[in-house]
Amino acid sequence: MEYEEAFREVYEMVKPKYKLFTAGPVACFPEVLEIMKVQMFSHRSKEYRKIHVDTVERLRDFLEVKKGEVLLVPSSGTGIMEASIRNGVTKGGKVLVTIIGAFGKRYKEVVETNGRKAVVLEYEPGKAVKPEDLDDALRKNPDVEAVTITYNETSTGVLNPLPELAKVAKEHDKLVFVDAVSAMGGADIKFDKWELDVVFSSSQKAFGVPPGLAIGVFSERFLEIAEKMPERGWYFDIPLYVKYLKEKESTPSTPPMPQVFGLNVVLRIIEKMGGKEKWLEMYQKRAEMIREGVKEMGLGILAEEGYESPTITAVLTPKGIKGDEVYEAMRKRGFELAKGYGSVKEITFRIGHMGYMTFDDIREMLDNLREVINELKKQKA
C-alpha cells in the first residue's frame, strides 16, 4: 500500500480490542470480512445485478417467501419501519402498536411523527404480548389499519409469539408489520404461512454482517395499498424499490455493495452448514448455554419463562449492583457485552448471542462473568 501510514493511523483507532457479545453491530464471520475487501465496481453492472438477485432469491428461500417481494434497502432497519407507515397507513389513520420494550416505543414514535395515530397495547419489561389481549384490543379498536409487533425485543430479550399474534390480527383483517431487526436470522420466519405484510431487519444483527443494509419483505396486499398511497416520500418509496428490482435488478439509490456481498456469503454458509434448521438450532444452543450459565451464577433472566430470545439475553443484576458496573468490569477483561437499555437500564445488562462466535468463546465469557459478579458482590458487601 502506498499510503500504509494512513491505514495504520486509522487502524490504531478502530482495531479490535474485545470479544463481542453485543446487541449489534456484532462480530462478523472471517469470510464476510474477506469478501467485503473486494474492489468496487458499478452497481448498475451485470456483475452487481447478478449478486443482488442471487441474494434476494436466497433470502426468499430462508424467509419462506413465495408471494410478495424481498427488497434490499441502503439503510438501517428503522428506515423500513418508517417506510411501513408512510407506504401502508393512510395519513391520520390508526395503528395498534404493541410495546414490550424500547423498540416497540420507537415504532410508536415513528407512527406519530409521520402523522398517524398510535393505539397502544403495552406490557411491563420482560413480558410478551398475549394473543387474547391483542384480540381484545382489536375488538375495542376496529378502525385500526395495521398492527405492529416487535418479534424480538432487543432491550428485554423477549421473543413474542409471532405466529399466534399474526393469526389474531388476520382474524380482524389487519395488516401485520413486524420489527424483526434482532430476530431475522436467529428466529424462524415463515412469511407466507404466517400471513405477514411487512417484515424488516438489519445486516448487523443475527446475520453477522456490518451495518448499512436493511432487508424488507412486503406482501402483495401491502404493495397494492402502497401503490395508491399519496406522499409516501422518495427514498423509502417501496413500489419504487420493487420497480428497480424488476427492471434494473438493483436499487433506486446506490446500495451498500460490500454488505450485500457479505450477506450473500452468510446465506451460503447457512446452506453449507446444513440449511436453515441447522443454523437456527445453533442459535438456540447458544442461547440455552448462556441462560443456563448465568442461572448457575444465581442471576435471573428478565424475560418471562417460555418467551426467551434466541439472539439476546437481558440478565438481572444482583441487588446493589448496576448493569453498567458489570459491563465496564467485563470490558476490562476484553469482553464487550451490552448495557441495559430503556427503563430497565439500571437493573440489567445484556449478552448478545449474534454473529460470529464459538462455543469456546461463550464458555470463556461465562467464566469471566462469574468472576466479575463475585468480585462486585464482595465490593458491595
Side-chain angles (χ1 to χ4, degrees), residues 106-335:
R106 179 179 293 184
Y107 223 139
K108 176 178 179 287
E109 290 176 19
V110 168
V111 167
E112 293 175 339
T113 55
N114 280 282
R116 280 71 171 174
K117 297 175 184 174
V119 177
V120 173
L121 175 60
E122 186 168 4
Y123 293 77
E124 65 181 80
K127 301 297 182 184
V129 180
K130 304 304 184 292
E132 58 272 22
D133 294 342
L134 179 59
D135 182 61
D136 183 58
L138 286 169
R139 288 182 192 281
K140 291 175 180 174
N141 298 278
D143 56 342
V144 301
E145 297 177 30
V147 176
T148 74
I149 301 165
T150 311
Y151 189 7
N152 189 82
E153 177 51 67
T154 318
S155 68
T156 63
V158 172
L159 186 76
N160 264 319
L162 179 57
E164 293 89 340
L165 297 176
K167 183 173 183 290
V168 170
K170 285 301 168 185
E171 285 169 355
H172 290 267
D173 196 31
K174 305 303 178 187
L175 293 170
V176 179
F177 299 166
V178 181
D179 172 353
V181 168
S182 61
M184 188 185 289
D188 197 11
I189 295 174
K190 299 181 186 297
F191 186 80
D192 289 355
K193 184 176 180 181
W194 297 349
E195 296 185 85
L196 309 175
D197 291 291
V198 178
V199 178
F200 58 88
S201 187
S202 301
S203 54
Q204 77 277 10
K205 300 286 187 174
F207 284 124
V209 175
L213 176 68
I215 301 157
V217 192
F218 304 90
S219 71
E220 291 175 338
R221 180 184 176 188
F222 177 89
L223 293 172
E224 286 172 8
I225 291 169
E227 284 280 4
K228 299 170 186 173
M229 191 66 63
E231 298 179 10
R232 58 181 182 259
W234 190 90
Y235 192 82
F236 292 116
D237 179 342
I238 297 306
L240 183 63
Y241 274 86
V242 174
K243 183 178 184 218
Y244 266 75
L245 178 63
K246 292 185 180 305
E247 294 179 4
K248 297 182 183 291
E249 298 178 324
S250 187
T251 50
S253 55
T254 310
M257 295 165 61
Q259 281 83 345
V260 175
F261 304 162
L263 178 58
N264 194 287
V265 165
V266 169
L267 293 167
R268 289 169 185 268
I269 288 172
I270 292 170
E271 181 185 305
K272 295 177 189 306
M273 187 183 283
K276 175 179 177 177
E277 189 176 330
K278 289 290 184 185
W279 174 266
L280 295 180
E281 188 180 293
M282 173 195 73
Y283 261 101
Q284 199 57 48
K285 285 180 180 177
R286 287 180 183 180
E288 289 169 3
M289 186 175 177
I290 288 170
R291 286 199 299 269
E292 288 169 9
V294 297
K295 285 177 182 177
E296 284 172 8
M297 298 174 208
L299 303 177
I301 304 298
L302 181 62
E304 65 176 307
E305 191 174 350
Y307 299 94
E308 301 93 343
S309 165
T311 60
I312 191 163
T313 297
V315 184
L316 293 164
T317 58
K319 190 174 180 180
I321 298 173
K322 292 183 178 179
D324 279 4
E325 293 176 296
V326 178
Y327 169 81
E328 294 296 346
M330 286 296 284
R331 218 164 184 259
K332 287 175 183 174
R333 289 168 170 257
F335 296 90

Side-chain angles (χ1 to χ4, degrees), residues 28-58:
C28 304
F29 277 83
E31 295 86 350
V32 168
L33 298 177
E34 195 63 29
I35 195 64
M36 290 181 73
K37 289 162 58 177
V38 169
Q39 184 60 274
M40 290 296 92
F41 48 90
S42 172
H43 66 294
R44 300 297 182 213
S45 67
K46 65 179 182 181
E47 290 83 5
Y48 179 72
R49 294 201 306 270
K50 181 177 180 181
I51 195 163
H52 190 99
V53 170
D54 185 70
T55 306
V56 167
E57 289 305 312
R58 289 175 183 276

